[in-house]
Amino acid sequence: MAAIHDQFDTILILDFGSQYSHLITRRCREHNVYAELMPCTTQLKDLNFKPKGIIMSGSPYSVYDKDSPHADPGIYELGVPILGICYGLQEMAWQMKGKVDKCDHREYGFAQVHMSKIGGDNASVDALFEGLGDEMQVWMSHGDQLSAPPPDFRVIGYTATAPYAALAHNSKPFYGIQFHPEVTHSPRGKEVIGRFILNICGCQAHWTMEEFIGKEIARIREICGPKGRVIGAVSGGVDSTVAAKLMHEAIGDRFHAIMVDNGVLRLNEGKQVNEMLNKDLGVNLIVVDASDLFLSRLEGVEDPEQKRKIIGNTFINVFEAEASKIEATAKEEEKKGAAAKGRVEWLLQGTLYPDVIESISFKGPSATIKTHHNVGGLLKDMKLKLIEPLRELFKDEVRALGRLLKIPAPLVQRHPFPGPGLAIRILGPVTREQVSILQQADSIYIEEIRKAGLYDQIAQAFAVLLPVKAVGVMGDSRTYEQVIALRAVQTEDFMTADWYVFPAEILRRISSRITNEVAGINRVTYDISSKPPATVEWL
Ligand SMILES: Nc1ncnc2c1ncn2[C@@H]1O[C@H](COP(=O)(O)OP(=O)(O)OP(=O)(O)O)[C@@H](O)[C@H]1O
Ligand SMILES: O=c1[nH]c(=O)c2[nH+]cn([C@@H]3O[C@H](COP(=O)(O)O)[C@@H](O)[C@H]3O)c2[nH]1
Ligand SMILES: NC(=O)CC[C@H](N)C(=O)O
Ligand SMILES: [Mg+2]
């Protein structure tokens, strides 16, 4: 079976734990070159492909510390170009007998790199900086630096405080830079990465979603064989819809999509998703109404983690039952003389690259802030094998893929909606009444955002129902009712987020519609917390 590395030139990024490691991957992909992040402790013997080039990331460690991470020295014998960034440079220098020490002045922020010209003023700058002029602004974040370069390296860039800000080997394609080209604060950094992967490594810029679709469809067909069937949980969210459409293109009706109505979906969501997938996209979708089961298990539960756990587990139960039903129906049909159908062998998951990145850290998992409900839990009990066509993609790549698969724009641009749904937006116990109040308020909020043409400027917007009551006055009478909080955020990757600044007029209209139209609400507030210290969802 053709692996992704056989189909696309691949840059291997060794992650030494920098908070910017994934950005290096992104910058490569923006040049249409496939790049993959792996832990810095990856041993060459365990690598099942040969990269066209290697980039070593930054790191919170210092190379000279006793327990600092180091790359397999075999990489220097692979015969491919290597670029070290910050710690990556220090690591390369350290492994090749240069000297790295704590610097007198740690450098954090902007710096000006001067590109050295070897052989006088008329000589050209190094290939890594070709066409970038004599100097450029970059962003630095380091407390160590080289005090002596390793033998056989020349200086190709320096700053006022770092005499060895950029190095190149005299005869091999090894490079190191002290600054961070992957962050947007280095305005020409993306070009530096481009010089390395395109000119120095000679990668072909083939990584486009157009290329990916054809290759991935062929790969799915090969994996599933002529008869194998696949089931998949589909929510109407971007990831699962794109994955479902791709499966449908690959194997048609042998793919069965299942949407679970867990009783905490948004207003009319089950109906809408059903129509969209069945009618608009031609995908074979079953909507299973399990709302009674979910709501009965959630009864009286206030604890956020408890809610997530109950919903995650119940998803699994419902899903397993549906998988058996599909098999049983096929058996019945066969008894009546229908052609034998293949087994349901595969489970489709909409895993994205950020989920994969989070789980590859060599430092072990970070603190659990909240347990995102996880369909991956299915694995333990089910004999189904996993199929994850989006595993290598970032969200914006998934959206581009969706557009190419002719999934309607409003669906591709849809804000994410968490699996545990409104249960984590109702701050107290979940009841049908509370769900109904929140559904109405949320629907008005989103409708007004769309009317104002702001939906696509906001990464995620939703309403939250608070378990407190406040006093109000309506029609000269006293009211004592619940409070709705509105949330809207802008973010690149949902790891950090900022609250969205609405025009006051829009907030006024939303507030007035919610208090007028939703019985049980007499007050609306707007959440002005960023992440961190808050999170996007309230629970
Ligand atoms: N109501 C549901 N019915 C069936 N599967 C669901 C449901 N809600 C979530 N899932 C499954 O859980 C997975 C993870 O949910 P998640 O919200 O992260 O992704 P998504 O809904 O596909 O996309 P988005 O992030 O845009 O909402 C989905 O891809 C889907 O497989
Ligand atoms: O599928 C999901 N299952 C979950 O349990 C879950 N919890 C949070 N989210 C979504 O993740 C993003 C970041 O949210 P937080 O800042 O609240 O962690 C936001 O987009 C949230 O909506 C979830 N998605
Ligand atoms: N950003 C980095 O890679 C920093 C590397 C090393 N920890 C230093 O302080 O110099
Ligand atoms: Mg979702």
Side-chain angles (χ1 to χ4, degrees), residues 359-420:
S359 62
I360 66 163
S361 160
F362 70 94
K363 287 177 298 190
S366 47
T368 304
I369 308 297
K370 47 181 93 172
T371 322
H372 285 207
H373 93 286
N374 189 5
V375 184
L378 279 170
L379 257 174
K380 286 185 205 85
D381 306 79
M382 290 176 89
K383 286 168 203 75
L384 293 168
K385 293 171 275 186
L386 272 192
I387 187 160
E388 301 179 310
L390 311 179
R391 201 184 155 79
E392 279 91 16
L393 309 186
F394 287 104
K395 190 97 174 179
D396 56 328
E397 292 176 320
V398 172
R399 290 201 158 117
L401 186 59
R403 283 188 281 272
L404 285 172
L405 288 166
K406 305 225 163 28
I407 294 175
L411 215 168
V412 170
Q413 289 307 123
R414 235 171 149 201
H415 295 176
F417 181 64

Side-chain angles (χ1 to χ4, degrees), residues 32-347:
N32 299 116
V33 171
Y34 181 67
E36 204 170 303
L37 194 66
M38 291 194 171
C40 58
T41 44
T42 303
Q43 295 298 300
L44 281 184
K45 64 173 167 42
D46 300 326
L47 210 61
N48 59 1
F49 67 99
K50 183 171 177 183
K52 287 283 279 188
I54 298 175
I55 300 180
M56 296 196 281
S57 80
S59 175
Y61 290 89
S62 292
V63 282
Y64 47 75
D65 285 346
K66 218 170 72 225
D67 53 354
S68 58
H70 296 290
D72 181 343
I75 58 172
Y76 303 107
E77 310 302 325
L78 257 187
V80 302
I82 303 176
L83 171 67
I85 293 175
C86 200
Y87 183 94
L89 157 72
Q90 299 164 5
E91 168 75 352
M92 185 184 285
W94 186 81
Q95 287 186 317
M96 297 200 171
K97 311 272 182 282
K99 262 181 74 76
V100 180
D101 291 299
K102 196 159 237 20
C103 37
D104 297 337
H105 306 282
R106 58 190 287 266
E107 226 180 347
Y108 188 87
F110 290 108
Q112 202 68 12
V113 174
H114 302 271
M115 284 83 133
S116 325
K117 294 180 176 175
I118 311 294
D121 271 355
N122 293 328
S124 54
V125 297
D126 190 87
L128 190 66
F129 301 136
E130 197 190 318
L132 299 180
D134 295 348
E135 57 179 299
M136 67 179 161
Q137 188 191 313
V138 296
W139 196 79
M140 296 274 199
S141 168
H142 64 117
D144 302 328
Q145 68 181 31
L146 268 59
S147 46
D152 285 333
F153 274 79
R154 63 181 185 277
V155 176
I156 59 171
Y158 58 92
T159 70
T161 58
Y164 309 114
L167 293 183
H169 193 279
N170 285 329
S171 55
K172 296 177 183 166
F174 298 158
Y175 295 84
I177 49 188
Q178 186 58 69
F179 60 91
H180 286 271
E182 71 274 28
V183 301
T184 46
H185 305 305
S186 295
R188 308 206 71 177
K190 185 177 155 185
E191 291 171 84
V192 174
I193 291 177
R195 297 297 183 276
F196 178 70
I197 61 179
L198 298 170
N199 302 1
I200 296 170
C201 300
C203 290
Q204 299 196 57
H206 275 182
W207 177 254
T208 62
M209 287 303 108
E210 283 90 342
E211 288 269 334
F212 177 81
I213 286 187
K215 290 179 171 166
E216 189 57 19
I217 286 178
R219 198 180 72 97
I220 293 170
R221 287 185 181 142
E222 205 178 317
I223 294 176
C224 298
K227 285 203 160 174
R229 290 196 291 162
V230 180
I231 52 168
V234 166
S235 63
V238 181
D239 312 335
S240 51
T241 305
V242 171
K245 180 72 180 158
L246 197 62
M247 289 308 297
H248 181 72
E249 297 276 311
I251 60 169
D253 285 348
R254 287 190 282 136
F255 171 62
H256 302 265
I258 294 169
M259 180 190 192
V260 179
D261 182 346
N262 53 13
V264 283
L265 298 177
R266 287 168 291 191
L267 197 64
N268 299 324
E269 187 150 34
K271 213 171 113 211
Q272 279 168 10
V273 172
N274 194 11
E275 280 185 8
M276 211 163 58
L277 270 105
N278 275 315
K279 284 202 199 116
D280 301 350
L281 297 180
V283 172
N284 205 344
L285 176 83
I286 309 169
V287 181
V288 180
D289 181 0
S291 53
D292 285 338
L293 178 64
F294 278 89
L295 291 175
S296 67
R297 289 189 182 176
L298 283 169
E299 204 179 306
V301 178
E302 284 186 42
D303 178 67
E305 286 297 283
Q306 199 62 29
K307 285 181 178 177
R308 285 166 189 277
K309 206 178 256 166
I310 291 170
I311 292 175
N313 292 347
T314 311
F315 263 129
I316 295 174
N317 300 147
V318 173
F319 205 69
E320 279 182 328
E322 287 308 308
S324 328
K325 271 192 216 162
I326 291 175
E327 293 248 295
T329 314
K331 281 214 183 90
E332 282 304 310
E333 286 172 5
E334 272 172 47
K335 275 192 204 147
K336 291 180 197 149
K341 283 190 174 154
R343 296 291 313 268
V344 178
E345 273 179 88
W346 300 91
L347 169 66

Side-chain angles (χ1 to χ4, degrees), residues 308 370-373 416-420 424-425 460 462 494 531 534-539:
R308 285 166 189 277
K370 47 181 93 172
T371 322
H372 285 207
H373 93 286
F417 181 64
I424 55 168
R425 296 176 180 172
Q460 194 173 8
F462 53 88
F494 294 93
K531 173 184 179 175
T535 54
V536 175
E537 302 286 349
W538 278 44
L539 292 184

Side-chain angles (χ1 to χ4, degrees), residues 266 399 409-416 445-461 500 502:
R266 287 168 291 191
R399 290 201 158 117
L411 215 168
V412 170
Q413 289 307 123
R414 235 171 149 201
H415 295 176
Y445 182 36
I446 300 299
E447 187 186 318
E448 288 299 331
I449 288 176
R450 283 194 191 279
K451 264 198 220 156
L454 300 176
Y455 189 83
D456 290 344
Q457 290 178 29
I458 298 170
Q460 194 173 8
Y500 180 74
F502 274 110

